[in-house]
Amino acid sequence: MGGIDLALSRGGIHGLAGESGSGKTMTALAVLGLLPGGMTASGSIRLADTEGPGAGSDSGFTELVGAPRGVLQGVRGRRVAMVFQDPSTSLHPQLPVGRQLTDHMRHHLGLGKPEARAKAEALLDRVRVPDARGALSKYPHQFSGGQRQRIAIAVALACDPTVLLADEPTTALDVTVQAGVLQLLRELADGGDLSILLVTHDLGVMSAVADEVTVMRQGLVVESAPRQQLFTAPRDEYTRSLLAALPGSSFEQAGEDAR
Amino acid sequence: MSERIAAERDGAVPSGGRPVLEAEGIVVEYGRRPALRAVDGVGFTVAAGEVVALVGESGCGKSSLARAIVGIEKRKAGTVRLKGDDVPTLGLRRRSSAMTGMQMVFQDPNSSLNPRRRIGDQIGDGVRAALARGDRGSDPADWLRRVGLDPAMVSRFPHEFSGGQKQRIAIARALAARPGMLVADEPISALDASTQTSVAALMRSLSVEAGAGMLFISHDLSVVRRIADRVLVMYQGRVVESGVTETVWQNPLHPYTRALLAAIPLPDGAGRLPLAPAEADRLAWLDEVPAALERTTA
Ligand SMILES: Nc1ncnc2c1ncn2[C@@H]1O[C@H](COP(=O)(O)OP(=O)(O)OP(=O)(O)O)[C@@H](O)[C@H]1O
Ligand SMILES: Nc1ncnc2c1ncn2[C@@H]1O[C@H](COP(=O)(O)OP(=O)(O)OP(=O)(O)O)[C@@H](O)[C@H]1O
Ligand SMILES: [Mg+2]
Ligand SMILES: [Mg+2]
């Protein structure tokens, strides 16, 4: 992979699409310094400070590439949270769901036990996990694939992060439940305190919530544009072919004719 | 590409005779006091060369039903027959060679793949299962090529692959076993549209050619529309609508099916959020609509 340039604006949703295996997950993992052994990131990944002396100015940022472990640990889960593509990576199999949500809140936000539980229950409710209170004492394996995915989203949101890296967060959801999750993400971003990197291969999802869209192929960015421009006037050949493969896009007809 | 799949679909005449798979009155429950009834009396058949899609709300019981069908989840009630033989509830490893004629691709590819074995060896397990049943052998590297991966990757381990690549390896392993019945639980959910189209076409054409049946669980309704002859729509443990895919699509009768089709986000670039159903609407989804079941083209 080489030369990926991405910027997340405050309160914006930046979509990342592209071929399977093109490097979308690795891009997100690089931000948190979680690349698998043998891979290293070079370049620069800067996280704007929200507190401290430089907050709000151009100089107030934390460099994440090559940052010491302590810095990355302070950032992970607190300022930058991730929903992993595989929900089993986000969740600990041997801990009840409630603990996974409240431990972080108590540690990072200093909440008391009852407050943390109440917040956890409210979060589960928002992502439509049935019987949110009862769910707190269950283990991940007692949920369906899509329920686990929603729990992972709740865990990521638990500590009010400023950046959410969401890697295919709705693949296991039917479209009715997905609609609720997309609404939640949009509301959180519109609130202005959260910026989202949304990795999704689903261009319908992309079209619904992304403000900016970047398309990757074989480890490279092939195109990056505001949503509407990307969907209506794609410049790159690969982006065009992706849109042509879709039912309901303005390019479908043209795509079929071309074949 | 979509046209090619459609053409094949019309050409697939389910052979008369006995269905490949017959499931009747399946019930799956979890826990006790109170038990959670995840699957509440579901029955369906899959004919030779037929693709049946199973769609429904997240948590409605699709994976539970799939596991009960292949016999790795305890059935509280109901029977499953594969080409006329009862499918027992046993661990996957203890299945007789006849039962390897039914293969499953799990929703989480990590459950389909062993993290400690090279992927070529794991696809080789599928090849050996086919040979043991007297079916044709094949080359694992060739399967990788067919699912759009580099054949030279046979000696890699699962963790060296992306999410969508792992899904394709799990599919390759299952197809290499040349199953007479394939149960695939969200098998291509992580793939981009063009890879999805070609892998779905591969899965479909292999089943049609071999006269195999396929149960295809998916949240991606456009893929379902492209590859399934018939569709089962599930809500809270029950099938609420079923029948010929195009019929259900053009004129959904059950309120859940309607809500589902209305919530598909369109890739038009307009930035419109799909409609999340209101709480009050969900109550109606529990209704039975007898006319919505077993719908034919009429
Ligand atoms: N641990 C690893 N060792 C070596 N190569 C790896 C490893 N993990 C991933 N890769 C390779 O890196 C490339 C990028 O992977 P990545 O997971 O970022 O893809 P992706 O765009 O997220 O794909 P998908 O949509 O299928 O999830 C892939 O070609 C993959 O084979
Ligand atoms: N091992 C288990 N123990 C207890 N409850 C379970 C278990 N597995 C599933 N359930 C519950 O059974 C119901 C059906 O789950 P299932 O996994 O079959 O749903 P699904 O339709 O596959 O959903 P998804 O689309 O999210 O994967 C869910 O409410 C889930 O919480
Ligand atoms: Mg990925
Ligand atoms: Mg499932």
Side-chain angles (χ1 to χ4, degrees):
Chain A
M1 278 174 54
I4 312 294
D5 290 328
L6 281 176
L8 300 192
S9 49
R10 205 177 292 266
I13 301 183
H14 194 120
L16 186 55
E19 207 173 31
S20 169
S22 60
K24 304 181 295 294
T25 297
M26 294 303 143
T27 301
L29 291 178
V31 174
L32 289 176
L34 292 176
L35 286 174
M39 287 193 194
T40 48
S42 56
S44 174
I45 301 172
R46 290 186 297 271
L47 175 67
D49 291 338
T50 47
E51 42 202 61
S57 76
D58 280 352
S59 59
F61 63 79
T62 308
E63 173 59 56
L64 298 180
V65 173
R69 256 177 82 155
V71 171
L72 285 173
Q73 270 163 2
V75 164
R76 274 179 215 152
R78 174 69 187 92
R79 291 170 64 193
V80 181
M82 177 146 182
V83 178
F84 292 90
Q85 182 167 11
D86 165 12
S88 50
T89 312
S90 291
L91 301 173
H92 192 297
Q94 265 116 36
L95 278 182
V97 162
R99 280 274 308 278
Q100 308 198 35
L101 283 153
T102 56
D103 277 2
H104 286 292
M105 294 186 215
R106 298 182 64 192
H107 177 73
H108 289 304
L109 306 180
L111 295 186
K113 205 168 177 179
E115 294 151 284
R117 276 188 84 82
K119 187 171 175 194
E121 194 182 319
L123 269 169
L124 290 180
D125 231 12
R126 284 205 73 176
V127 293
R128 295 203 63 84
V129 170
D131 179 22
R133 176 164 305 173
L136 292 175
S137 53
K138 290 194 189 166
Y139 293 84
H141 76 267
Q142 294 176 295
F143 294 91
S144 79
Q147 287 165 348
R148 278 197 287 260
Q149 196 167 39
R150 285 172 275 158
I151 294 167
I153 294 173
V155 169
L157 294 174
C159 296
D160 308 321
T162 52
V163 175
L164 177 69
L165 308 171
D167 194 357
E168 303 279 6
T170 63
T171 42
L173 307 182
D174 68 283
V175 291
T176 62
V177 171
Q178 173 176 274
V181 169
L182 296 180
Q183 236 165 48
L184 172 65
L185 294 182
R186 189 69 259 177
E187 274 169 38
L188 291 171
D190 286 348
D193 297 326
L194 184 67
S195 309
I196 302 174
L197 177 70
L198 176 69
V199 177
T200 177
H201 70 277
D202 186 328
L203 296 181
V205 166
M206 195 65 95
S207 165
V209 292
D211 302 306
E212 299 274 328
V213 182
T214 292
V215 181
M216 288 182 70
R217 190 181 197 192
Q218 296 176 353
L220 297 172
V221 169
V222 298
E223 181 161 9
S224 191
R227 177 193 63 239
Q228 191 153 23
Q229 184 184 326
L230 187 116
F231 277 90
T232 55
R235 295 225 178 91
D236 179 76
E237 202 46 49
Y238 177 67
T239 313
R240 282 168 193 274
S241 73
L242 273 186
L243 291 171
L246 293 173
S249 87
S250 50
F251 281 81
E252 190 187 17
Q253 208 48 51
E256 304 270 299
D257 289 349
R259 224 155 274 158
Chain B
M1 192 64 97
S2 62
E3 276 164 21
R4 186 150 84 233
I5 304 180
E8 264 170 22
R9 183 168 64 209
D10 298 336
V13 185
S15 60
R18 183 152 210 160
V20 177
L21 186 87
E22 297 159 279
E24 240 178 74
I26 308 289
V27 174
V28 177
E29 287 186 352
Y30 295 108
R32 261 174 281 176
R33 278 180 277 134
L36 176 95
R37 188 166 277 216
V39 180
D40 189 12
V42 172
F44 64 95
T45 61
V46 181
E50 188 181 40
V51 178
V52 175
L54 176 60
V55 304
E57 196 180 39
S58 169
C60 74
K62 301 178 297 296
S63 298
S64 303
L65 175 62
R67 291 193 300 261
I69 295 290
V70 298
I72 53 170
E73 187 78 72
K74 216 171 124 233
R75 299 186 281 264
K76 172 97 181 171
T79 54
V80 180
R81 279 188 296 275
L82 177 66
K83 296 185 174 156
D85 297 331
D86 270 308
V87 177
T89 345
L90 291 170
L92 264 186
R93 309 253 173 277
R94 292 196 292 144
R95 298 194 307 166
S96 68
S97 78
M99 287 302 148
T100 65
M102 178 148 62
Q103 289 288 325
M104 175 151 182
V105 177
F106 291 90
Q107 183 167 12
D108 171 4
N110 297 321
S111 310
S112 291
L113 301 171
N114 179 337
R116 286 183 198 81
R117 293 180 63 211
R118 296 180 195 277
I119 60 153
D121 293 344
Q122 300 193 54
I123 299 172
D125 290 345
V127 176
R128 283 183 285 279
L131 289 170
R133 291 196 324 279
D135 210 325
R136 262 182 316 138
S138 49
D139 177 11
D142 193 46
W143 283 108
L144 283 185
R145 186 188 53 73
R146 296 178 83 171
V147 296
L149 295 173
D150 180 354
M153 291 175 170
V154 278
S155 55
R156 291 215 203 166
F157 291 93
H159 73 265
E160 298 175 78
F161 291 91
S162 78
Q165 289 169 339
K166 273 191 267 199
Q167 282 194 329
R168 285 179 276 164
I169 295 162
I171 291 170
R173 190 201 55 86
L175 292 178
R178 303 205 186 275
M181 176 72 207
L182 177 62
V183 176
D185 193 354
E186 300 276 3
I188 52 176
S189 61
L191 303 183
D192 59 278
S194 65
T195 313
Q196 220 172 37
T197 309
S198 57
V199 175
L202 173 72
M203 293 174 79
R204 180 171 172 90
S205 64
L206 286 178
S207 330
V208 172
E209 279 162 26
M214 176 153 81
L215 181 69
F216 186 90
I217 302 178
S218 179
H219 284 306
D220 193 323
L221 300 169
S222 60
V223 172
V224 165
R225 188 175 186 186
R226 285 177 181 198
I227 82 161
D229 302 294
R230 282 191 302 130
V231 60
L232 306 168
V233 184
M234 237 175 124
Y235 185 70
Q236 297 214 347
R238 296 190 180 179
V239 171
V240 295
E241 182 148 5
S242 64
V244 173
T245 308
E246 217 33 52
T247 308
V248 171
W249 215 275
Q250 298 295 342
N251 181 21
L253 295 181
H254 194 276
Y256 175 68
T257 319
R258 290 188 176 162
L260 199 61
L261 294 177
I264 303 175
L266 286 180
D268 55 7
R272 250 184 314 214
L273 278 169
L275 213 59
E279 219 46 54
D281 296 341
R282 290 174 188 269
L283 283 176
W285 297 354
L286 290 166
D287 291 351
E288 275 184 49
V289 180
L293 298 172
E294 314 270 336
R295 301 184 60 197
T296 51
T297 334

